[in-house]
Each structure stands twice: as structure tokens, then as C-alpha cells.
Amino acid sequence: MLSDSLSLLNPLLSLWYPLSLVILYLGAIIALAEGLNRLRGTNAEFTRKIVHIGSGNVVLIAWWLQLPSWVLVGASFIASIIALISYFLPILPSINSVGRKSLGTFFYAVSIGILAQGFWSRQQPQYLAIGILVMAWGDGMAAVIGQKFGRHPYQILGVNKSWEGSLTMMGVSFLVTSLILLSVGESFLITMIISLIVAMVAMGLEAFSALGIDNLSVPLGSAFLAFYLIHGLS
């Protein structure tokens, strides 16, 4: 009985260090955003993007630490619950206060769980990284650039966008996808072709963002598209 209990505890004990690093990192990101929002009155949309981009980078930490897929799926579930609570109760204004009702944070967390189950568990973490980082950096920078420099607006399903922001989404998505595919040894030509296709599709998916649905469609669309293109062109 004791040996069975120890065998169950050993995996958890071996994970305490990498998990503590991930938790500290995410806690620091949220604390920074909340501090800026509550103490300095920083615009909630800007602090939300700090969390949006910063939390996406956790997949690189998880990849580096080689965390098992169940950790990511479990974290996705917990984050989804917190996001839903924050959606109905404004306990974390730096995450959900964007001036409109949005389930984007919830969808963002769900997408991590789906991609972790679909790719991480099959030893193909690069596709989860593509999906999440395209969303984190692409959408995050698109919002920042669009709000600051957007001079050519358009509207889809009642959500305001700008061409400057959308083109930023495409450019950052191309860069993210290229760097990840090249890092795992894909050929330069195929990487450039696939990255361009993924970037254009991600830009199109991000344009349809009512209720924050792009936080689900962009990660899933980018990851699965990259996967099928790699296996189709390689």
C-alpha cells in the first residue's frame, strides 16, 4: 500500500520545480497587469494584452521543461473556470474588462487544453506552440498597433477592426510560425510557404472576433492548418 502511494506521489514530486516556475511566471504576469490597472489606472485593454501575450509564452516554458500533457490540460481546465468566474464577477478587471462582453479569455484557455490533448500528448508540441503564440503575439500586437495607429477601420459583426491591426496580425503570425518551424528543422522554402498561408488564414479568422471567438478559432485553425500543410508538403 505504501509503495503504491509513493509511486503515485513520485511523478508529482518530480514536477514541483517546473510547475513552481510556471506558476510564479503566470502569477507575476497577472500581478503586473492587476497592479497597473488598479494602482496606476492603466487602460484595461492594455493590461489585458499584457496577460494575453505573457500567458501565451508559458507554452515555451512548458516545452523547455518538457511538462506532460496532463499538466497543460489540467491548467487549461482551471484557467477556464477562473475565466468564467471573472466573466460574471469582475474579480480580475485586467483580464476581462475590455468595454464589451467577451468570452475571449475562456476560449483562450480552452484552446490550450484542446491543442495539448491533440498535439502535446503525441510529442508534437510545435503545433500547440504555433497555435497559442500566433494568438498571443499576433492578436496582442494587432490590438496594440490597431488602437494606436489604426487609420483605416472596418467592421465585422459589430466589432471594429483596422487594416493596420489586421496586417500586423498577419506579419506577426508569419514570423511566429516561421521561427517555430525552423527551430524544429523544417526546410526553409516549405516553412516560408506554410507560414504565409497560416498567417493569411489567421488574419482572416482574427477578423471574426465577436464574443472573443477568435481566441478559439485562431489557435485551433493555425495549429491544425500548419500540421496538415507540413504533412502534405513535406
Side-chain angles (χ1 to χ4, degrees):
M1 182 67 70
L2 180 59
S3 61
D4 291 340
S5 299
L6 290 175
S7 66
L8 292 174
L9 285 174
N10 282 336
L12 294 176
L13 291 174
S14 65
L15 286 172
W16 78 267
Y17 177 68
L19 284 178
S20 64
L21 290 180
V22 171
I23 292 170
L24 285 173
Y25 171 78
L26 290 175
I29 292 295
I30 294 174
L32 172 63
E34 283 295 309
L36 289 173
N37 182 264
R38 294 176 185 271
L39 301 178
R40 298 182 63 87
T42 303
N43 181 274
E45 179 67 14
F46 180 78
T47 60
R48 191 179 79 95
K49 290 308 175 185
I50 292 177
V51 176
H52 185 83
I53 295 174
S55 60
N57 292 335
V58 79
V59 301
L60 295 176
I61 300 175
W63 192 357
W64 173 52
L65 297 173
Q66 297 184 328
L67 293 178
S69 61
W70 65 264
V71 172
L72 293 177
V73 174
S76 166
F77 177 77
I78 294 171
S80 300
I81 297 300
I82 295 174
L84 279 179
I85 293 173
S86 186
Y87 176 77
F88 293 106
L89 300 173
I91 58 174
L92 294 173
S94 65
I95 292 179
N96 284 106
S97 297
V98 294
R100 64 182 186 275
K101 298 298 285 182
S102 172
L103 285 166
T105 307
F106 170 73
F107 289 136
Y108 193 22
V110 168
S111 68
I112 293 176
I114 294 173
L115 293 176
Q117 185 61 37
F119 295 114
W120 204 275
S121 60
R122 291 172 172 78
Q123 306 301 312
Q124 296 182 314
Q126 65 268 34
Y127 299 110
L128 180 144
I130 287 173
I132 298 304
L133 294 179
V134 160
M135 187 64 215
W137 282 96
D139 178 72
M141 293 306 299
V144 172
I145 297 300
Q147 289 178 10
K148 190 171 183 64
F149 301 106
R151 299 293 183 269
H152 301 86
Y154 66 94
Q155 190 177 87
I156 295 181
L157 299 179
V159 179
N160 295 318
K161 298 285 182 179
S162 73
W163 282 109
E164 289 83 358
S166 293
L167 290 174
T168 298
M169 175 70 184
M170 186 175 73
V172 174
S173 298
F174 176 82
L175 181 61
V176 165
T177 306
S178 298
L179 291 175
I180 293 173
L181 291 180
L182 289 173
S183 74
V184 295
E186 297 296 341
S187 72
F188 181 81
L189 179 58
I190 286 185
T191 292
M192 294 300 103
I193 294 172
I194 290 176
S195 297
L196 181 58
I197 296 172
V198 169
M200 291 189 295
V201 170
M203 181 183 71
L205 292 172
E206 192 271 339
F208 294 88
S209 57
L211 291 177
I213 192 64
D214 59 318
N215 284 263
L216 184 66
S217 62
V218 170
L220 299 188
S222 300
F224 282 100
L225 179 60
F227 173 80
Y228 284 113
L229 288 175
I230 283 289
H231 287 78
L233 296 177
S234 299

